Structure formats: structure tokens, C-alpha cells
Amino acid sequence: AGLTGLTASTVSQYVNAWMKVAQFNYDNNAPTVLLIHPIDTTARFQALQQFLAAIKNAGMDMWVGDLATYAKFLESQGVTDAKWP
């Protein structure tokens, strides 16, 4: 996406890029996984807040949660028998 690093000044660029991916996946019934490392938490929390607001504003009805819960859901659907921590 041509992004150089997540900082307070690049939050909007990252949110826009993430929204393109999320919308594409949403349209195709595919999950979107966003891993945010706890480094420079100010910019990362700001980006996460803006991303979640953008999802809501776009009217995207999607579940947001952790990978362990998602894995349990998939296992309950018989999609996988993978064991997650």
C-alpha cells in the first residue's frame, strides 16, 4: 500500500488501507484479521478506534473479537479441528 510506518501522522492512511481490505473481505464473506503490536500504543489505539468507527459508518455488520473465540466458532461449525491456544 506504500505505507511507511504507523504514526500519529499516518493513522488516516492506514485506516483507509485497512478499510479497503475489510470491505473487499466483507463483500466476499471472508474474515479480516488485524494484528496490532503493542509498540507506540498511542498511534495504534487511535488507528484501531478510527478503523472500528469507519466499519460502523460503512454499515458493515461484522463481528469483531479475538482469534481464540473465532477458532472456537469455526470448530463448532465443523470447519476445522485445529487446536488453538
Side-chain angles (χ1 to χ4, degrees):
L3 301 173
T4 58
L6 180 57
T7 65
S9 62
T10 62
V11 166
S12 293
Q13 294 171 328
Y14 273 83
V15 171
N16 290 338
W18 293 344
M19 279 302 295
K20 288 178 184 177
V21 172
Q23 185 67 58
F24 180 84
N25 289 343
Y26 181 80
D27 292 344
N28 291 285
N29 296 312
T32 298
V33 177
L34 180 63
L35 174 63
I36 301 178
H37 291 278
I39 301 169
D40 182 20
T41 55
T42 302
R44 282 164 171 70
F45 284 137
Q46 182 181 7
L48 179 59
Q49 288 174 325
Q50 287 185 21
F51 180 59
L52 294 175
I55 288 170
K56 183 177 180 181
N57 292 338
M60 298 166 69
D61 181 24
M62 64 172 56
W63 176 80
V64 175
D66 62 277
L67 283 177
T69 303
Y70 184 60
K72 289 176 186 174
F73 165 75
L74 290 177
E75 289 173 3
S76 74
Q77 301 299 305
V79 176
T80 180
D81 63 0
K83 299 301 177 202
W84 293 62

